[in-house]
Amino acid sequence: MGNQRGINMGIWDDPFFKKMSAAERAFYLYLLTNGHATGIGIYQIARTIMALELGISRESVQALIDRFALEYKLIRFNPETSEIAIKDWGKWIKLEGRKRDKIPEFRGVKEHSLIPYVSESIANPKIRNLYESFCKQEQGLS
């Protein structure tokens, strides 16, 4: 994984994004672009790390996670594995040009149910197929 990732500037015109508070926008952009993020929209990150990097309390981070997961339904967070999955990852992050051998991050995902959760929002069928193929491979179906 490189340290550069393109983000769709259309996020600023998205009606849902426009309705978010400044703190919520900052949190969402952080989730999409922080240094722990992988190329697949699923990664491991501790709430303590998020709090330190955002300069807010751990309680504030938890409140944002809860709002984004339960109310907005934009993320899933597994507290046991500290894995976060961003539902609209494929909508906001440039994914074109990725190949199966360029996405080793799939093997690092501990909760495999997060993979189809992210793939649902990927419009490009070739990219979405990478996610689905990995799931089938793990289930021994391919």
Side-chain angles (χ1 to χ4, degrees), residues 75-133:
I75 66 169
R76 286 196 182 157
F77 184 76
N78 181 324
E80 288 83 36
T81 64
S82 294
E83 287 177 302
I84 196 158
I86 304 165
K87 181 180 180 182
D88 289 340
W89 178 260
K91 183 176 180 181
W92 302 123
I93 299 297
K94 183 182 176 198
L95 299 173
E96 282 68 32
R98 295 196 157 274
K99 295 179 184 172
R100 184 186 313 259
D101 62 338
K102 301 261 182 182
I103 308 179
E105 294 97 341
F106 283 124
R107 289 184 205 88
V109 175
K110 294 176 179 152
E111 185 183 325
H112 288 181
S113 70
L114 298 176
I115 296 170
Y117 173 75
V118 173
S119 74
E120 292 170 0
S121 70
I122 298 173
N124 183 322
K126 290 180 182 178
I127 303 297
R128 188 175 51 251
N129 188 47
L130 292 177
Y131 287 71
E132 293 167 358
S133 293

Side-chain angles (χ1 to χ4, degrees), residues 16-72:
F16 195 80
F17 189 77
K18 284 181 174 183
K19 290 179 185 177
M20 290 180 186
S21 70
E24 291 169 338
R25 287 180 191 171
F27 181 69
Y28 194 49
L29 289 172
Y30 169 79
L31 293 178
L32 292 169
T33 62
N34 73 74
H36 308 278
T38 63
I40 62 170
I42 304 164
Y43 55 93
Q44 209 171 12
I45 186 167
R47 289 168 283 194
T48 304
I49 298 297
M50 287 189 256
L52 287 170
E53 291 182 346
L54 288 166
I56 61 177
S57 70
R58 192 172 184 276
E59 293 77 17
S60 295
V61 166
Q62 188 59 56
L64 286 163
I65 288 171
D66 291 345
R67 187 171 310 121
F68 274 72
L70 304 173
E71 185 180 333
Y72 296 163

